[in-house]
Amino acid sequence: MTTKLAAKQSLFMTFKMLNLDAIEKAELKGDPFPYMVIENVLKADAIGKIVESFPVLSKRGSFPLNTLECSGNFDLLMKELQNPLLRTVIGKRFGMELDDKPPMITVRGYTTDRDGHIHTDSKDKLITFLLYLNPNWQSPDGRLRVLYNKSSLEPYAAEVSPEAGRCLIFKVTDNCWHGHTVFNGDRKSIQLNYVTSTGARERHLKRHRFSAFLKRLFVKNEAHTPY
């Protein structure tokens, strides 16, 4: 083993939650846009601990980290997602220079029929990393699809079950269409984006914070629907 390889493996081992080797080895596909699906982006012995410490979110929508009470292994995962080494690894895989691009994290815990509509991500997002945290997902619905157009959920290039530990990472392009069929109930996910600037990040987070504030004021808890 070369000194360089040994040093890299030593750095990777500092991650207790994320499996960086899985990101390095995942197949990068280019059609209809650059993306990779990873089934084991979390270390096997960490998944249950992360799920157990996931914040309680019974309302739909994306919540910024600073609006949540994060603790335990979930908090450790949030720190690892913001580690510059992860950004470097992802940047190399997608052939992008991301070292000066700030990370932005939002968290979801619940979806309704208002979610899953086909869309592309905004242009000030460069990379989207979607990580799911739902053990033993059984429903045929709520599975994210990589799509060829904005008109239909079929045909699709890939379908990702929101099973705990699975993720989709993709480059944000004009045609990065994605969406899922309607699912009403618990659907835990984390979205990490690398964005163009701190200003862009603050604009997004300000909007999410305001939305979270309104939910706390006016929205009653939505009844959970079993899987």
PDB file of all heavy atoms in Angstrom, residues 2 10-11 18-19 21-22 30 41 44 54-55 65 78 130 153 167 172 183 185 213 225:
ATOM      1  N   THR A   2       0.582   2.188  -0.898  1.00  0.00           N
ATOM      2  CA  THR A   2       1.357   3.415  -0.961  1.00  0.00           C
ATOM      3  C   THR A   2       1.045   4.311   0.229  1.00  0.00           C
ATOM      4  O   THR A   2      -0.007   4.188   0.863  1.00  0.00           O
ATOM      5  CB  THR A   2       1.056   4.179  -2.256  1.00  0.00           C
ATOM      6  OG1 THR A   2      -0.301   4.614  -2.231  1.00  0.00           O
ATOM      7  CG2 THR A   2       1.289   3.297  -3.484  1.00  0.00           C
ATOM      8  N   SER A  10      -6.814   6.346   6.105  1.00  0.00           N
ATOM      9  CA  SER A  10      -6.815   6.818   7.488  1.00  0.00           C
ATOM     10  C   SER A  10      -7.813   7.957   7.672  1.00  0.00           C
ATOM     11  O   SER A  10      -8.536   8.007   8.667  1.00  0.00           O
ATOM     12  CB  SER A  10      -5.409   7.277   7.886  1.00  0.00           C
ATOM     13  OG  SER A  10      -5.392   7.766   9.201  1.00  0.00           O
ATOM     14  N   LEU A  11      -7.875   8.866   6.690  1.00  0.00           N
ATOM     15  CA  LEU A  11      -8.837   9.957   6.749  1.00  0.00           C
ATOM     16  C   LEU A  11     -10.267   9.438   6.669  1.00  0.00           C
ATOM     17  O   LEU A  11     -11.152   9.871   7.402  1.00  0.00           O
ATOM     18  CB  LEU A  11      -8.575  10.953   5.612  1.00  0.00           C
ATOM     19  CG  LEU A  11      -7.390  11.895   5.775  1.00  0.00           C
ATOM     20  CD1 LEU A  11      -7.162  12.684   4.497  1.00  0.00           C
ATOM     21  CD2 LEU A  11      -7.618  12.844   6.948  1.00  0.00           C
ATOM     22  N   LEU A  18     -20.648   7.987   7.832  1.00  0.00           N
ATOM     23  CA  LEU A  18     -20.643   7.911   6.376  1.00  0.00           C
ATOM     24  C   LEU A  18     -19.608   6.923   5.859  1.00  0.00           C
ATOM     25  O   LEU A  18     -18.492   6.820   6.386  1.00  0.00           O
ATOM     26  CB  LEU A  18     -20.362   9.288   5.781  1.00  0.00           C
ATOM     27  CG  LEU A  18     -21.486  10.316   5.873  1.00  0.00           C
ATOM     28  CD1 LEU A  18     -20.967  11.699   5.497  1.00  0.00           C
ATOM     29  CD2 LEU A  18     -22.658   9.931   4.965  1.00  0.00           C
ATOM     30  N   ASN A  19     -19.968   6.230   4.789  1.00  0.00           N
ATOM     31  CA  ASN A  19     -19.100   5.284   4.117  1.00  0.00           C
ATOM     32  C   ASN A  19     -18.554   5.942   2.852  1.00  0.00           C
ATOM     33  O   ASN A  19     -19.160   5.854   1.782  1.00  0.00           O
ATOM     34  CB  ASN A  19     -19.889   4.009   3.781  1.00  0.00           C
ATOM     35  CG  ASN A  19     -19.059   2.975   3.059  1.00  0.00           C
ATOM     36  OD1 ASN A  19     -17.853   3.134   2.878  1.00  0.00           O
ATOM     37  ND2 ASN A  19     -19.708   1.906   2.637  1.00  0.00           N
ATOM     38  N   ASP A  21     -15.963   5.194   1.110  1.00  0.00           N
ATOM     39  CA  ASP A  21     -15.546   4.213   0.099  1.00  0.00           C
ATOM     40  C   ASP A  21     -16.681   3.923  -0.874  1.00  0.00           C
ATOM     41  O   ASP A  21     -16.450   3.740  -2.071  1.00  0.00           O
ATOM     42  CB  ASP A  21     -15.112   2.912   0.772  1.00  0.00           C
ATOM     43  CG  ASP A  21     -13.705   2.991   1.343  1.00  0.00           C
ATOM     44  OD1 ASP A  21     -12.865   3.685   0.737  1.00  0.00           O
ATOM     45  OD2 ASP A  21     -13.444   2.373   2.379  1.00  0.00           O
ATOM     46  N   ALA A  22     -17.895   3.863  -0.363  1.00  0.00           N
ATOM     47  CA  ALA A  22     -19.046   3.575  -1.227  1.00  0.00           C
ATOM     48  C   ALA A  22     -19.240   4.674  -2.262  1.00  0.00           C
ATOM     49  O   ALA A  22     -19.623   4.401  -3.402  1.00  0.00           O
ATOM     50  CB  ALA A  22     -20.305   3.401  -0.387  1.00  0.00           C
ATOM     51  N   GLY A  30     -24.422   8.865 -16.688  1.00  0.00           N
ATOM     52  CA  GLY A  30     -24.518  10.162 -17.335  1.00  0.00           C
ATOM     53  C   GLY A  30     -25.824  10.435 -18.044  1.00  0.00           C
ATOM     54  O   GLY A  30     -26.021  11.537 -18.565  1.00  0.00           O
ATOM     55  N   VAL A  41     -24.449   4.102   1.740  1.00  0.00           N
ATOM     56  CA  VAL A  41     -23.662   5.302   1.998  1.00  0.00           C
ATOM     57  C   VAL A  41     -23.459   5.527   3.498  1.00  0.00           C
ATOM     58  O   VAL A  41     -22.619   6.335   3.902  1.00  0.00           O
ATOM     59  CB  VAL A  41     -24.309   6.534   1.336  1.00  0.00           C
ATOM     60  CG1 VAL A  41     -25.485   7.055   2.156  1.00  0.00           C
ATOM     61  CG2 VAL A  41     -23.279   7.632   1.094  1.00  0.00           C
ATOM     62  N   ALA A  44     -23.042   0.236   8.261  1.00  0.00           N
ATOM     63  CA  ALA A  44     -24.141  -0.630   8.696  1.00  0.00           C
ATOM     64  C   ALA A  44     -24.441  -0.501  10.181  1.00  0.00           C
ATOM     65  O   ALA A  44     -25.609  -0.491  10.588  1.00  0.00           O
ATOM     66  CB  ALA A  44     -23.814  -2.085   8.347  1.00  0.00           C
ATOM     67  N   PHE A  54     -33.146  10.645  15.030  1.00  0.00           N
ATOM     68  CA  PHE A  54     -33.704  11.558  14.027  1.00  0.00           C
ATOM     69  C   PHE A  54     -34.697  12.502  14.718  1.00  0.00           C
ATOM     70  O   PHE A  54     -35.524  12.072  15.518  1.00  0.00           O
ATOM     71  CB  PHE A  54     -34.404  10.767  12.927  1.00  0.00           C
ATOM     72  CG  PHE A  54     -34.753  11.564  11.702  1.00  0.00           C
ATOM     73  CD1 PHE A  54     -33.896  11.609  10.621  1.00  0.00           C
ATOM     74  CD2 PHE A  54     -35.952  12.271  11.628  1.00  0.00           C
ATOM     75  CE1 PHE A  54     -34.220  12.340   9.481  1.00  0.00           C
ATOM     76  CE2 PHE A  54     -36.288  13.006  10.504  1.00  0.00           C
ATOM     77  CZ  PHE A  54     -35.416  13.045   9.431  1.00  0.00           C
ATOM     78  N   PRO A  55     -34.633  13.810  14.428  1.00  0.00           N
ATOM     79  CA  PRO A  55     -35.561  14.760  15.074  1.00  0.00           C
ATOM     80  C   PRO A  55     -37.020  14.428  14.773  1.00  0.00           C
ATOM     81  O   PRO A  55     -37.340  13.868  13.720  1.00  0.00           O
ATOM     82  CB  PRO A  55     -35.172  16.110  14.451  1.00  0.00           C
ATOM     83  CG  PRO A  55     -33.817  15.909  13.886  1.00  0.00           C
ATOM     84  CD  PRO A  55     -33.718  14.466  13.502  1.00  0.00           C
ATOM     85  N   LEU A  65     -31.137  22.994   9.538  1.00  0.00           N
ATOM     86  CA  LEU A  65     -30.600  22.424  10.761  1.00  0.00           C
ATOM     87  C   LEU A  65     -30.801  23.323  11.964  1.00  0.00           C
ATOM     88  O   LEU A  65     -31.089  22.841  13.065  1.00  0.00           O
ATOM     89  CB  LEU A  65     -29.101  22.141  10.598  1.00  0.00           C
ATOM     90  CG  LEU A  65     -28.706  20.894   9.804  1.00  0.00           C
ATOM     91  CD1 LEU A  65     -27.201  20.736   9.827  1.00  0.00           C
ATOM     92  CD2 LEU A  65     -29.394  19.661  10.359  1.00  0.00           C
ATOM     93  N   MET A  78     -24.689  14.960  10.860  1.00  0.00           N
ATOM     94  CA  MET A  78     -24.749  16.311  10.310  1.00  0.00           C
ATOM     95  C   MET A  78     -23.350  16.931  10.216  1.00  0.00           C
ATOM     96  O   MET A  78     -23.024  17.607   9.235  1.00  0.00           O
ATOM     97  CB  MET A  78     -25.631  17.203  11.185  1.00  0.00           C
ATOM     98  CG  MET A  78     -27.105  16.807  11.241  1.00  0.00           C
ATOM     99  SD  MET A  78     -27.915  16.760   9.617  1.00  0.00           S
ATOM    100  CE  MET A  78     -27.848  14.996   9.262  1.00  0.00           C
ATOM    101  N   LEU A 130     -29.157  13.329  -1.690  1.00  0.00           N
ATOM    102  CA  LEU A 130     -30.377  12.951  -0.978  1.00  0.00           C
ATOM    103  C   LEU A 130     -30.134  11.645  -0.228  1.00  0.00           C
ATOM    104  O   LEU A 130     -29.850  10.610  -0.848  1.00  0.00           O
ATOM    105  CB  LEU A 130     -31.532  12.788  -1.955  1.00  0.00           C
ATOM    106  CG  LEU A 130     -32.082  14.082  -2.574  1.00  0.00           C
ATOM    107  CD1 LEU A 130     -32.987  13.751  -3.756  1.00  0.00           C
ATOM    108  CD2 LEU A 130     -32.834  14.890  -1.528  1.00  0.00           C
ATOM    109  N   LEU A 153     -43.757  10.484 -14.759  1.00  0.00           N
ATOM    110  CA  LEU A 153     -42.906   9.668 -13.893  1.00  0.00           C
ATOM    111  C   LEU A 153     -42.458   8.372 -14.570  1.00  0.00           C
ATOM    112  O   LEU A 153     -41.682   7.608 -14.004  1.00  0.00           O
ATOM    113  CB  LEU A 153     -43.647   9.328 -12.599  1.00  0.00           C
ATOM    114  CG  LEU A 153     -43.830  10.489 -11.615  1.00  0.00           C
ATOM    115  CD1 LEU A 153     -44.824  10.101 -10.524  1.00  0.00           C
ATOM    116  CD2 LEU A 153     -42.491  10.887 -11.003  1.00  0.00           C
ATOM    117  N   CYS A 167     -28.931   6.467  -0.958  1.00  0.00           N
ATOM    118  CA  CYS A 167     -28.880   7.875  -1.361  1.00  0.00           C
ATOM    119  C   CYS A 167     -28.770   8.019  -2.866  1.00  0.00           C
ATOM    120  O   CYS A 167     -28.385   7.083  -3.577  1.00  0.00           O
ATOM    121  CB  CYS A 167     -27.733   8.602  -0.662  1.00  0.00           C
ATOM    122  SG  CYS A 167     -26.136   8.453  -1.452  1.00  0.00           S
ATOM    123  N   VAL A 172     -26.634  19.114 -10.559  1.00  0.00           N
ATOM    124  CA  VAL A 172     -27.795  19.926 -10.911  1.00  0.00           C
ATOM    125  C   VAL A 172     -27.589  20.490 -12.318  1.00  0.00           C
ATOM    126  O   VAL A 172     -26.626  21.207 -12.578  1.00  0.00           O
ATOM    127  CB  VAL A 172     -28.014  21.051  -9.889  1.00  0.00           C
ATOM    128  CG1 VAL A 172     -29.188  21.939 -10.316  1.00  0.00           C
ATOM    129  CG2 VAL A 172     -28.276  20.465  -8.502  1.00  0.00           C
ATOM    130  N   PHE A 183     -46.912   9.917  -1.467  1.00  0.00           N
ATOM    131  CA  PHE A 183     -46.886   9.115  -0.249  1.00  0.00           C
ATOM    132  C   PHE A 183     -47.260  10.008   0.917  1.00  0.00           C
ATOM    133  O   PHE A 183     -46.648  11.053   1.131  1.00  0.00           O
ATOM    134  CB  PHE A 183     -45.513   8.492   0.002  1.00  0.00           C
ATOM    135  CG  PHE A 183     -45.476   7.658   1.251  1.00  0.00           C
ATOM    136  CD1 PHE A 183     -45.943   6.354   1.236  1.00  0.00           C
ATOM    137  CD2 PHE A 183     -45.014   8.186   2.450  1.00  0.00           C
ATOM    138  CE1 PHE A 183     -45.946   5.581   2.385  1.00  0.00           C
ATOM    139  CE2 PHE A 183     -45.019   7.425   3.608  1.00  0.00           C
ATOM    140  CZ  PHE A 183     -45.478   6.114   3.581  1.00  0.00           C
ATOM    141  N   GLY A 185     -47.303  10.252   4.822  1.00  0.00           N
ATOM    142  CA  GLY A 185     -46.816   9.654   6.050  1.00  0.00           C
ATOM    143  C   GLY A 185     -45.353   9.938   6.296  1.00  0.00           C
ATOM    144  O   GLY A 185     -44.744  10.803   5.654  1.00  0.00           O
ATOM    145  N   PHE A 213     -41.146  28.493  10.500  1.00  0.00           N
ATOM    146  CA  PHE A 213     -41.788  29.343  11.497  1.00  0.00           C
ATOM    147  C   PHE A 213     -43.300  29.349  11.314  1.00  0.00           C
ATOM    148  O   PHE A 213     -44.066  29.214  12.274  1.00  0.00           O
ATOM    149  CB  PHE A 213     -41.226  30.757  11.381  1.00  0.00           C
ATOM    150  CG  PHE A 213     -41.942  31.781  12.226  1.00  0.00           C
ATOM    151  CD1 PHE A 213     -41.778  31.803  13.601  1.00  0.00           C
ATOM    152  CD2 PHE A 213     -42.781  32.720  11.631  1.00  0.00           C
ATOM    153  CE1 PHE A 213     -42.449  32.744  14.378  1.00  0.00           C
ATOM    154  CE2 PHE A 213     -43.443  33.659  12.400  1.00  0.00           C
ATOM    155  CZ  PHE A 213     -43.271  33.674  13.777  1.00  0.00           C
ATOM    156  N   THR A 225     -49.841   8.265   8.355  1.00  0.00           N
ATOM    157  CA  THR A 225     -50.406   7.155   7.613  1.00  0.00           C
ATOM    158  C   THR A 225     -49.451   5.983   7.687  1.00  0.00           C
ATOM    159  O   THR A 225     -48.288   6.143   7.322  1.00  0.00           O
ATOM    160  CB  THR A 225     -50.646   7.540   6.140  1.00  0.00           C
ATOM    161  OG1 THR A 225     -51.522   8.658   6.096  1.00  0.00           O
ATOM    162  CG2 THR A 225     -51.248   6.387   5.378  1.00  0.00           C
TER     163      THR A 225
END
